[in-house]
Amino acid sequence: MVYSSLLFIYGFLPASLLIYHLTPVKFREAVLLMLSMVFCGMTSLYFLIFISVYSLINYFFANITEKLHKNEKLAAVPLAAGIIIDLTAAFAFRTEYFSWLHRILKAPESFYPVGIAFFTLSAVGTLIDVYKGKIRPGKHIIRFLLYIMFFPRLIMGPLLRYGVFTKILDNRRESFTATGVGMTVFIKGLAKKVIAADNLYMLYAAAHADNEGSISAATAWLGITAYVFCLYFTLSGFADMGTGIAYCFGLKFPQSFNYPLLSTRIRYFASRWHSQVVQWIRRYVTKPLYSICPRKWMREIIFVFGWALFCFWYTVSLNGIICGALMGIVLIIENHLLNNKIMNFTGMVYTFLAVVVCAVFLSGSSPSASLRYLLAMIGGNGVFVDSQALYLFKSYIVLLLVSMYASTDLFRNLMMRSHRNKVKTVIVIASPVVLMALLLICTSLISYKGSSEMLLMKL
């Protein structure tokens, strides 16, 4: 079960909100944990067992590490054991090299622990923070299990530190207004996923119907452009849905995506795309390495390594490493060469080109296939425009233009500037009607397709 299923939208979500708000305040955290367990169980009974055992193991190692924290060498033993178990579990289900572990666990062939890329980083970061004495999980087992299993952040984050998550729990404010805001954010995220991402994926699939050695340059550009926007709307759509759901329960989560596409600098794109994951890698990987590598060129190598790790986290493949390394290199080049007075439009063009080149490797099945695709994009197949490209362009040009506009903050800026005129009044009056229309359209599309569970990668 995912957020964009009819069972979740019209069954689980309203029932959860009703149960939560009818529960006395002092029991509400326990109810959130119970609801999260039900969500996991409805996804798969095996998933419920897996994530429950996983959470309890991490709680155990976190407490052992805390008790031994005065002796750093001794505390490092449960820390290392916990991290090894977490990373092994992540690699076991995200690669094909751990089939022996699947057999030991007797996991069904189709089983995949949804959100394992996120709750693995959450667990590893928590163990490290406990080891450093920054947090103390203590006897708060309900909070710890909720931190790992909380269903609004299970699929697409946001990736929060344990201390930040507990502060959000302490400061939760339930109200009808919060529920209304949460449902607004949820429906926007649902529209991103069902209306934009799913249809963009159709363009991407159509452009990739032929192999890299035969498609035209125009078709190749349409395909990779569709992939970039599809990836953004898929990930940010699920992130918005999760954030909106949390808001309905009075919890205010930070944004994971802050309109990264069509940024005027590559560094702006890098800071706005899955920002909590970037911060996690900086906090637990690159920053500690910087402290032991004082030379600038060594730090730049570490910087590139951090970005390679970031994209490897997406795909767990060589292509992901290449994609991240390219992103790190172009960021360093921009930092050394960019004149800050460059026109915004020029910056937007070269930033998007850099993102597209990186996306070719992120989406490719192998480095050689990605190189062939790049060759096709510059006309290496000897065909620049063909009938397929013209057909796809005519069929999807409106969707692409709307997607480009929706991926910018132009509408948000319009709202912020319209507080003194009639535009805001019109928008406020029209918003409920628009949101209801979006919900009905999404419902129709999900009903027609049967489900909306397409994800470009396992996270």
Side-chain angles (χ1 to χ4, degrees):
M1 181 171 65
V2 293
Y3 308 146
S4 55
S5 67
L6 295 180
L7 177 60
F8 180 88
I9 298 168
Y10 294 104
F12 182 81
L13 181 57
S16 297
L17 290 172
L18 181 62
I19 293 170
Y20 177 79
H21 287 288
L22 290 176
T23 302
V25 175
K26 64 179 181 179
F27 299 119
R28 286 184 176 176
E29 287 184 17
V31 167
L32 285 177
L33 177 59
M34 180 203 72
L35 292 171
S36 297
M37 294 179 72
V38 172
F39 176 86
C40 293
M42 292 176 71
T43 301
S44 164
L45 182 59
Y46 200 92
F47 178 46
L48 173 59
I49 296 170
F50 174 86
I51 197 170
S52 298
V53 173
Y54 182 96
S55 303
L56 289 170
I57 288 174
N58 276 276
Y59 180 73
F60 170 77
F61 281 112
N63 276 277
I64 296 297
T65 304
E66 181 188 356
K67 289 178 181 178
L68 300 174
H69 80 279
K70 291 182 180 179
N71 188 330
E72 290 187 4
K73 292 183 178 179
L74 200 57
V77 175
L79 169 69
I83 291 175
I84 289 171
I85 290 172
D86 291 337
L87 295 180
T88 301
F91 278 99
F93 290 100
R94 300 191 72 202
T95 67
E96 300 176 353
Y97 306 113
F98 285 79
S99 55
W100 55 271
L101 185 58
H102 288 235
R103 290 194 295 270
I104 292 174
L105 297 175
K106 297 181 180 179
E109 261 186 45
S110 59
F111 170 69
Y112 181 78
V114 178
I116 191 169
F118 287 92
F119 61 73
T120 295
L121 294 187
S122 296
V124 170
T126 300
L127 289 172
I128 295 173
D129 286 344
V130 171
Y131 175 76
K132 291 181 177 179
K134 293 182 178 179
I135 57 172
R136 300 180 64 185
K139 297 180 181 179
H140 301 294
I141 187 170
I142 290 178
R143 283 197 161 190
F144 191 92
L145 296 181
L146 186 61
Y147 171 66
I148 301 294
M149 301 171 63
F150 190 39
F151 73 91
R153 62 183 290 265
L154 191 62
I155 294 179
M156 201 55 66
L159 184 62
L160 304 173
R161 286 177 291 163
Y162 180 74
V164 174
F165 180 74
T166 55
K167 286 180 181 178
I168 292 174
L169 281 178
D170 290 334
N171 294 308
R172 68 182 187 273
R173 297 289 184 271
E174 302 97 341
S175 66
F176 288 112
T177 301
T179 302
V181 172
M183 289 307 300
T184 299
V185 176
F186 175 82
I187 293 172
K188 287 179 180 178
L190 183 67
K192 281 184 179 181
K193 174 66 182 67
V194 178
I195 298 176
D198 286 358
N199 286 292
L200 286 165
Y201 184 75
M202 293 172 64
L203 171 56
Y204 167 72
H208 282 69
D210 297 325
N211 61 52
E212 301 88 357
S214 60
I215 60 174
S216 67
T219 302
W221 275 98
L222 283 171
I224 197 60
T225 302
Y227 174 85
V228 170
F229 283 99
C230 178
L231 181 63
Y232 168 70
F233 284 116
T234 298
L235 301 182
S236 67
F238 273 115
D240 285 352
M241 284 186 269
T243 301
I245 296 162
Y247 217 113
C248 291
F249 292 103
L251 283 75
K252 191 172 182 180
F253 284 168
Q255 284 185 324
S256 296
F257 296 84
N258 186 21
Y259 303 102
L261 295 185
L262 305 181
S263 296
T264 55
R265 302 288 187 276
I266 299 173
R267 64 175 179 266
Y268 298 160
F269 169 85
S271 64
R272 295 169 181 172
W273 181 281
H274 245 149
S275 54
Q276 289 90 22
V277 181
V278 175
Q279 291 165 10
W280 189 98
I281 293 174
R282 184 182 299 130
R283 181 179 296 111
Y284 296 111
V285 180
T286 57
K287 191 175 179 180
L289 291 175
Y290 285 157
S291 63
I292 59 175
C293 298
R295 295 182 181 274
K296 185 177 181 180
W297 66 268
M298 296 175 70
R299 291 192 170 194
E300 288 182 342
I301 291 174
I302 293 169
F303 180 80
V304 173
F305 168 75
W307 275 100
L309 185 62
F310 173 72
C311 291
F312 177 76
W313 173 80
Y314 269 99
T315 63
V316 194
S317 68
L318 178 59
N319 265 38
I321 294 174
I322 296 172
C323 169
L326 286 173
M327 179 59 70
I329 290 168
V330 296
L331 281 165
I332 290 173
I333 293 172
E334 181 186 65
N335 185 52
H336 283 294
L337 301 180
L338 178 65
N339 181 352
N340 290 326
K341 295 181 179 180
I342 192 171
M343 291 188 299
N344 284 341
F345 178 76
T346 304
M348 189 183 300
V349 171
Y350 83 73
T351 297
F352 188 74
L353 288 175
V355 170
V356 164
V357 171
C358 292
V360 170
F361 286 95
L362 192 69
S363 64
S365 57
S366 67
S368 59
S370 298
L371 289 173
R372 289 195 299 271
Y373 197 90
L374 283 173
L375 185 64
M377 288 171 63
I378 58 175
N381 293 333
V383 184
F384 289 91
V385 181
D386 59 3
S387 58
Q388 182 189 24
L390 294 173
Y391 173 77
L392 292 176
F393 182 81
K394 288 188 291 184
S395 301
Y396 288 96
I397 182 60
V398 174
L399 175 63
L400 284 171
L401 291 175
V402 172
S403 298
M404 288 179 184
Y405 177 79
S407 65
T408 68
D409 58 358
L410 293 175
F411 182 77
R412 183 185 66 175
N413 292 340
L414 174 64
M415 286 288 292
M416 292 175 65
R417 294 169 184 168
S418 63
H419 64 284
R420 291 183 179 178
N421 56 39
K422 297 180 181 179
V423 176
K424 187 174 181 179
T425 304
V426 173
I427 292 173
V428 169
I429 294 173
S431 290
V433 178
V434 173
L435 289 170
M436 186 58 66
L438 286 175
L439 181 59
L440 292 174
I441 292 170
C442 291
T443 300
S444 301
L445 290 172
I446 296 171
S447 300
Y448 174 73
K449 297 174 184 177
S451 64
S452 178
E453 300 179 11
M454 182 277 298
L455 278 174
L456 297 182
M457 54 190 66
K458 289 183 174 181
L459 288 171

